[in-house]
Amino acid sequence: MIFFHRSTLNLTTSISNRVEGSIVFEMSVLDSWKLFAFLVICIHVQVLNSQNLSCNSDDLRALNDFTKGLESRINGWGQNSDCCTWVGVLCESSIKLGLNGSNNVWDKRVVGLELRNRSLSGNLSDALAGLDQLRYLNLAQSLYRYVANDLWMLKQLKTLYIQNNSLSGPLIGVANLSNLVRLDLSQNMFSETLPDAFASLGKLEYMDAHSNLLSGPLPTSLLNSPTIQFLNLRNNSFSGSLNLNWTNMSNLRSLDLRTNRLHGPIPDTLSSCRKLRFLNLARNYLNSPVPDSFKNLHALSFLSLSNSSLHNISATLEALQHCKNLTTLILSINFHGEEIPNANFHFKSLQALVIPHCRLTGSIPHWLRSTTKLQLLDLSLNSLVGTIPDWFNELKFLFYVDLSNNSLSGEIPKGLTKLPSLISFNKTLENPVNGPFFSKQDQSTRGMQYNRILSFPATLDLSYNLLSGHVLPEFGNLKNLGKLDLQSNHLEGPIPRELSGMTRLETLDLSHNSLSGIIPPSLINLTFLSRFSVAYNDLAGRVPTGAQFSTFPCSSFEGNHGLQDLVCSVHPGSNTEPRGSPTSGNEEEESNVTIFGPTFGVGVTAGFVVTVLICFISGKFMPPVKQGRHRTRNRSSRRVIHNQ
């Protein structure tokens, strides 16, 4: 899509493949509002065309120059000298357009190129030649060969977006773009070293080169850029010491260097970046504690040092408790075998504390009681012992608790059944935490990324511990709980029928305990339940039928020799055949069930497309709709943390 702001030309076009001279439309079923918007645009184009505006000669020359860089031409372009009649071109009678070195006063975003679906390929030199007053250029998701040398000659550029391509080649030419304010090179194939050319980029505020193949040390000139506010170099192969001079980065607000090959120690000079709010150094080899100077980072809100060979958890927490705005702290896969301190720490703003997979010893620390804004707590995959304290209900915002895979003993405290956020769910803090959180993995799911704490399922996970006693009937009070996992403990006694009060429950796992009695029929009222297991207990009697229970695989009930008349389904990935399931008495009914299956959907879609094409037989170009991605979130049971 091309925008010529403050000009006679407003071009909006997308280039698609052509077969035998006709445009091939690549569409999904349009939402009604998109169709309405498209109709308005078509009417607007026709009204403007009726004004008989003629194409300005400078505009015509600019369009012709642009098309020279394309491997194939656009239908209808160049057939006459009046570009206002070309497909997708909208002419307005306002301000003259000046390209190729004109002396116009340019807007902040004079020209923007936005080409989707890799519709532009080949050499950009002809298309960019002469655009020496270009200020804004967006070529994201468009190229797949190389960067034209002429790109580095656009010295007036303030914004350059060329992310999400497969671009390669040297980046030394970026030094010519002395007016750059925003630069995004991310998700490409740029390799070798990042040139030490940032001394000439004295206006640069935003720099993103994540997910490339860049290597070598961090450029010295980059770390001497006082204007940079956002720097993202994650997912590369940068090496060398991180212990550099960061004192000149006085305006730095966000620094992301995770998943590189940098080594520590963590530099004291980072504490000079007093405006720093987001810091992620995960998956490097820092091999140090957090320096005491970090107590001066009063603006710091998000900190992740996951999987970075940190040591001395006491010194780390001692320093970080002074970061008064710290809301998210991720320290997973560090401090191996150290004892979690029980000192009098105060994290008054902390909303998320993630310290799993560290094999920490000791007990659940008492200082957590003072983290009154805590929403998410993950201490899983450690070696914690002792009992679970009864004061958890004092943390009124806490809705996600994962204490799984430890050696906690004793009975389940009633305090966990009184968590205010799980009784009357209210995750409405003023500043909800954002960050690169990752769910965990089990045998059946690869894990999904949760970008915000508020998107996590309300969870109590106490699995794989040494807990004894009974399953508390008071769990039924947690009407907003989404997942309750008590598997692999030493629990005994009956399954309380009161559990049916957890009306939003999606996962319930009570397997591998010593529970006895029946499966309460009241559990069929858990209409959101999608994962259920009571396997390997001492249960007897009939298995409830109907509702969600008709969808559970036999593996949900196996290992209970007293269960009778087992009726269960076969889920994908399950090798267990149903036992006692009734045979189908009407094959015609089964065929009716699939009337809205894939075949029906294809027919409806094809019919809709044909109808739209007929309605717009006038020949106006219809932009293809970008197809969204719909993700399905799985609530896994046994998992391994992958935080960054």
Side-chain angles (χ1 to χ4, degrees):
M1 193 171 290
I2 310 172
F3 303 94
F4 293 91
H5 293 266
R6 299 183 60 177
S7 71
T8 62
L9 185 61
N10 184 352
L11 171 66
T12 57
T13 184
S14 294
I15 309 161
S16 70
N17 297 325
R18 296 191 301 278
V19 179
E20 297 181 356
S22 62
I23 297 174
V24 178
F25 290 89
E26 297 178 356
M27 326 170 23
S28 61
V29 178
L30 296 176
D31 294 333
S32 59
W33 66 269
K34 294 181 180 178
L35 181 58
F36 175 77
F38 177 69
L39 287 170
V40 172
I41 293 172
C42 286
I43 294 170
H44 184 53
V45 169
Q46 291 182 358
V47 170
L48 289 173
N49 284 345
S50 67
Q51 298 176 357
N52 296 322
L53 295 177
S54 60
C55 183
N56 181 276
S57 59
D58 290 335
D59 298 342
L60 178 62
R61 187 183 309 111
L63 288 173
N64 284 329
D65 287 345
F66 172 76
T67 57
K68 290 177 182 178
L70 304 180
E71 290 185 340
S72 57
R73 298 185 66 83
I74 306 171
N75 278 345
W77 282 35
Q79 292 182 357
N80 56 62
S81 60
D82 188 2
C83 64
C84 293
T85 65
W86 296 1
V87 173
V89 177
L90 176 62
C91 296
E92 297 174 347
S93 55
S94 54
I95 303 173
K96 297 292 184 181
L97 171 70
L99 290 173
N100 298 329
S102 71
N103 293 320
N104 278 2
V105 178
W106 292 81
D107 193 5
K108 183 177 181 180
R109 281 181 51 173
V110 179
V111 181
L113 298 165
E114 187 173 351
L115 302 156
R116 298 293 184 185
N117 301 324
R118 297 182 180 271
S119 54
L120 178 65
S121 62
N123 193 345
L124 270 182
S125 297
D126 293 334
L128 298 176
L131 301 180
D132 54 349
Q133 296 298 315
L134 200 63
R135 303 287 183 87
Y136 176 91
L137 181 58
N138 187 342
L139 295 175
Q141 304 181 49
S142 59
L143 309 177
Y144 59 85
R145 291 189 178 179
Y146 52 88
V147 175
N149 290 331
D150 285 355
L151 179 65
W152 310 124
M153 297 296 107
L154 304 178
K155 297 184 179 181
Q156 298 302 318
L157 274 181
K158 290 187 175 182
T159 299
L160 175 59
Y161 293 142
I162 55 175
Q163 71 271 22
N164 200 11
N165 294 292
S166 297
L167 298 172
S168 60
L171 290 170
I172 189 64
V174 74
N176 296 328
L177 307 182
S178 58
N179 287 297
L180 270 185
V181 177
R182 298 178 68 86
L183 174 62
D184 195 334
L185 312 170
S186 60
Q187 300 182 77
N188 280 292
M189 302 293 289
F190 293 117
S191 58
E192 301 180 357
T193 61
L194 194 62
D196 197 6
F198 292 88
S200 61
L201 304 183
K203 301 178 182 179
L204 191 63
E205 297 177 359
Y206 178 103
M207 168 70 179
D208 193 343
H210 81 262
S211 304
N212 278 281
L213 303 173
L214 297 168
S215 60
L218 299 175
T220 303
S221 59
L222 182 62
L223 305 184
N224 286 302
S225 302
T227 59
I228 289 185
Q229 300 178 19
F230 179 98
L231 180 59
N232 188 347
L233 302 177
R234 73 175 189 268
N235 298 336
N236 279 286
S237 297
F238 287 106
S239 58
S241 177
L242 185 64
N243 192 19
L244 303 169
N245 186 2
W246 296 83
T247 56
N248 290 328
M249 306 284 282
S250 55
N251 284 301
L252 190 63
R253 288 170 168 78
S254 178
L255 176 62
D256 194 342
L257 298 176
R258 70 177 183 267
T259 317
N260 278 285
R261 298 175 181 176
L262 298 166
H263 62 80
I266 302 173
D268 282 308
T269 53
L270 268 176
S271 62
S272 302
C273 306
R274 299 297 177 87
K275 296 181 180 179
L276 194 62
R277 292 177 52 84
F278 180 99
L279 177 59
N280 198 329
L281 304 178
R283 297 194 177 187
N284 286 285
Y285 185 69
L286 303 180
N287 193 29
S288 67
V290 171
D292 186 64
S293 60
F294 267 43
K295 64 176 59 176
N296 298 319
L297 293 175
H298 293 164
L300 190 63
S301 175
F302 179 98
L303 176 62
S304 177
L305 299 171
S306 173
N307 198 6
S308 55
S309 300
L310 290 184
H311 53 80
N312 199 337
I313 188 174
S314 296
T316 295
L317 295 174
E318 170 63 35
L320 294 178
Q321 68 171 329
H322 298 285
C323 301
K324 59 183 181 181
N325 288 305
L326 187 63
T327 59
T328 305
L329 179 58
I330 304 176
L331 300 173
S332 50
I333 320 179
N334 287 297
F335 314 116
H336 295 295
E338 295 186 26
E339 182 175 358
I340 191 168
N342 220 339
N344 195 22
F345 297 135
H346 297 281
F347 289 88
K348 295 183 178 180
S349 298
L350 200 62
Q351 297 178 23
L353 179 62
V354 182
I355 323 181
H357 214 311
C358 297
R359 298 301 173 196
L360 293 173
T361 63
S363 59
I364 296 175
H366 187 77
W367 54 265
L368 286 175
R369 192 173 187 174
S370 64
T371 57
T372 55
K373 293 185 178 181
L374 197 65
Q375 298 179 50
L376 185 150
L377 175 64
D378 190 346
L379 296 176
S380 62
L381 289 154
N382 284 297
S383 300
L384 300 179
V385 297
T387 60
I388 300 174
D390 199 41
W391 42 255
F392 271 102
N393 61 297
E394 298 176 17
L395 306 178
K396 62 180 180 179
F397 297 110
L398 187 64
F399 71 90
Y400 186 102
V401 180
D402 191 346
L403 302 176
S404 63
N405 290 275
N406 279 284
S407 297
L408 299 170
S409 58
E411 297 185 352
I412 300 173
K414 289 189 176 181
L416 284 178
T417 69
K418 300 176 182 179
L419 288 171
S421 285
L422 298 181
I423 295 173
S424 177
F425 215 24
N426 184 24
K427 296 182 288 184
T428 56
L429 292 187
E430 294 181 1
N431 299 306
V433 178
N434 297 296
F437 288 94
F438 292 82
S439 77
K440 305 170 183 181
Q441 295 182 345
D442 66 1
Q443 297 176 354
S444 62
T445 177
R446 294 184 177 181
M448 302 293 290
Q449 178 177 351
Y450 300 101
N451 289 318
R452 305 177 66 219
I453 279 187
L454 296 189
S455 67
F456 273 68
T459 294
L460 283 179
D461 192 341
L462 309 179
S463 61
Y464 295 94
N465 277 286
L466 304 174
L467 300 174
S468 58
H470 295 258
V471 177
L472 299 175
E474 290 84 355
F475 277 123
N477 298 327
L478 305 181
K479 299 184 182 301
N480 294 293
L481 186 63
K483 173 180 178 178
L484 177 62
D485 194 342
L486 302 177
Q487 67 172 304
S488 298
N489 279 285
H490 301 308
L491 301 174
E492 58 186 7
I495 299 175
R497 59 182 177 83
E498 290 86 354
L499 296 187
S500 61
M502 297 184 288
T503 53
R504 294 189 181 180
L505 200 66
E506 298 179 30
T507 297
L508 176 60
D509 197 331
L510 304 174
S511 63
H512 295 274
N513 281 285
S514 299
L515 301 176
S516 58
I518 65 170
I519 301 175
S522 62
L523 295 187
I524 66 172
N525 296 321
L526 299 176
T527 55
F528 288 97
L529 200 63
S530 59
R531 296 174 63 96
F532 175 78
S533 182
V534 290
Y536 296 98
N537 281 282
D538 296 320
L539 299 172
R542 295 181 179 274
V543 174
T545 58
Q548 296 296 93
F549 274 77
S550 64
T551 68
F552 299 139
C554 291
S555 58
S556 295
F557 308 98
E558 64 187 5
N560 292 278
H561 300 296
L563 290 179
Q564 304 170 9
D565 298 328
L566 182 61
V567 178
C568 48
S569 66
V570 176
H571 277 188
S574 173
N575 294 322
T576 307
E577 293 294 331
R579 291 182 291 170
S581 58
T583 59
S584 174
N586 193 335
E587 295 181 359
E588 184 178 351
E589 288 182 1
E590 293 181 3
S591 64
N592 289 337
V593 173
T594 62
I595 188 170
F596 294 104
T599 303
F600 180 84
V602 171
V604 170
T605 303
F608 182 82
V609 171
V610 171
T611 303
V612 172
L613 291 177
I614 293 174
C615 290
F616 299 107
I617 197 67
S618 58
K620 297 300 176 184
F621 188 86
M622 184 159 123
V625 177
K626 183 177 181 181
Q627 204 167 17
R629 294 182 178 176
H630 302 279
R631 297 184 177 179
T632 301
R633 182 173 299 151
N634 291 318
R635 311 296 206 254
S636 58
S637 54
R638 185 181 182 183
R639 306 164 301 173
V640 178
I641 194 73
H642 285 282
N643 294 100
Q644 290 194 22

